[in-house]
Amino acid sequence: MTSSSAIHHASSPDARADRIQIVLCGTSHTGNLGAVARAMKNMGLHRLVLVSPKATIDDQAMATAKHAADILNTARQVDNLPDALADSVEVWATTARPRDLHLPVLSARAAAEVIAATPSTGMISIVFGAERTGLTNQELSWAQRIIEIPANPDYPVLNLGQAVQIVAYEWRMAHETARSSPQTEIENLATSVEWAAFEQRLAEQLDRTSFFHRTGSAEKDIAANRERLMARLRVLCRRANPTRNELAVMQGMLRALTESTTPQSGANI
């Protein structure tokens, strides 16, 4: 098992490939695991994360992977998507149906150019959904941008290995162009786990108000509204792509508002 936070120094030849991780959610076919590993190794990527996989890395997966078996051997397995994205500063989701989440949608080629040109050395995750259903709205809410693979509208269906191959190929081509371009340093971006901590603290404060009660007073209605509104907030936060310093400002604002409304010891209530 490899650590997701072990990033090469920016001057390393492998630095740009080392900051890319392919994340598969709920993969159900062992052959697809092997096909994804081959697609990744063909294009120089090696970080693979499996989120609650329904398929196991068995003999079929290894046989399909062939000389890319090392990628399966070092793949991380996690129980949920937030854990997979904890160290990520950018999250891209692949889907044929962008849904109503108001996220920027880029073609695979345009997305690859953005990713390859990003000077940040933080982790960048590219997320793929289960073979039959794709990514859910809840999973999509963890992303900042959508990758769309242009295909024949009469038959736009790609299997998982093909989808990863196309995205990885486009990244490789963009990488070859970007590697000769001078890179500028930018401030460290906030990671997914840092944003999640802020969102959790904000949700806990909102729970003390009637903010989530808008669609009804029944407990199930409140819970559903809470999930829906926090998912929208998550999309907004990810789309903004703030730096750690900017997030610290928002943390300070929330802390100040919380303290200003907290009853002081001995005060009349």
Side-chain angles (χ1 to χ4, degrees):
M1 182 180 296
T2 58
S3 170
S4 64
S5 59
I7 309 278
H8 288 158
H9 190 273
S11 61
S12 164
D14 296 323
R16 296 190 186 184
D18 201 36
R19 66 180 185 159
I20 308 293
Q21 68 176 9
I22 300 297
V23 181
L24 307 183
C25 296
T27 307
S28 58
H29 298 292
T30 58
N32 284 337
L33 295 176
V36 167
R38 288 187 68 175
M40 291 173 61
K41 191 154 189 173
N42 285 157
M43 298 302 144
L45 301 177
H46 64 91
R47 290 185 179 273
L48 176 62
V49 185
L50 307 178
V51 179
S52 298
K54 295 179 174 60
T56 58
I57 300 175
D58 58 10
D59 291 343
Q60 181 185 357
M62 288 296 188
T64 306
K66 294 190 177 180
H67 297 298
D70 57 311
I71 291 179
L72 295 181
N73 287 329
T74 57
R76 287 196 301 135
Q77 293 195 31
V78 297
D79 294 331
N80 55 69
L81 187 55
D83 284 349
L85 305 177
D87 293 336
S88 299
V89 298
E90 289 188 24
V91 180
W92 295 73
T94 59
T95 180
R97 302 180 302 279
R99 321 284 177 85
D100 186 28
L101 289 175
H102 307 293
L103 289 170
V105 180
L106 284 77
S107 70
R109 181 160 299 176
E113 292 171 353
V114 172
I115 293 170
T118 302
S120 170
T121 56
M123 186 66 69
I124 298 174
S125 290
I126 304 175
V127 186
F128 296 79
E131 294 94 331
R132 189 175 64 84
T133 59
L135 292 169
T136 66
N137 277 345
Q138 185 67 15
E139 289 167 338
L140 285 169
S141 73
W142 287 93
Q144 294 155 310
R145 301 177 183 88
I146 298 293
I147 296 177
E148 190 175 43
I149 300 175
N152 179 4
D154 294 329
Y155 190 63
V157 182
L158 298 172
N159 67 36
L160 186 57
Q162 288 175 322
V164 173
Q165 185 73 77
I166 290 171
V167 172
Y169 169 80
E170 293 292 357
W171 172 83
R172 184 74 183 183
M173 294 300 98
H175 163 72
E176 293 298 324
T177 300
R179 68 187 303 180
S180 60
S181 303
Q183 293 293 297
T184 57
E185 293 296 325
I186 62 172
E187 285 190 77
N188 289 331
L189 298 175
T191 65
S192 183
V193 72
E194 290 167 339
W195 261 115
F198 170 77
E199 292 160 7
Q200 178 62 30
R201 184 172 181 182
L202 177 60
E204 290 171 354
Q205 294 303 317
L206 291 174
D207 282 335
R208 300 182 180 183
T209 73
S210 60
F211 183 75
F212 296 126
H213 294 231
R214 295 181 178 178
T215 58
S217 57
E219 186 173 340
K220 66 176 183 179
D221 293 331
I222 296 172
N225 199 40
R226 185 185 195 274
E227 181 177 346
R228 180 177 62 84
L229 291 174
M230 292 309 298
R232 287 189 175 183
L233 173 66
R234 189 177 304 119
V235 169
L236 184 154
C237 293
R238 301 299 186 275
R239 191 170 61 223
N241 210 20
T243 65
R244 282 180 170 170
N245 285 339
E246 291 168 338
L247 178 57
V249 171
M250 296 185 67
Q251 290 277 23
M253 292 169 60
L254 180 58
R255 187 180 307 112
L257 290 171
T258 302
E259 291 173 352
S260 68
T261 57
T262 300
Q264 301 297 314
S265 177
N268 293 326
I269 299 177

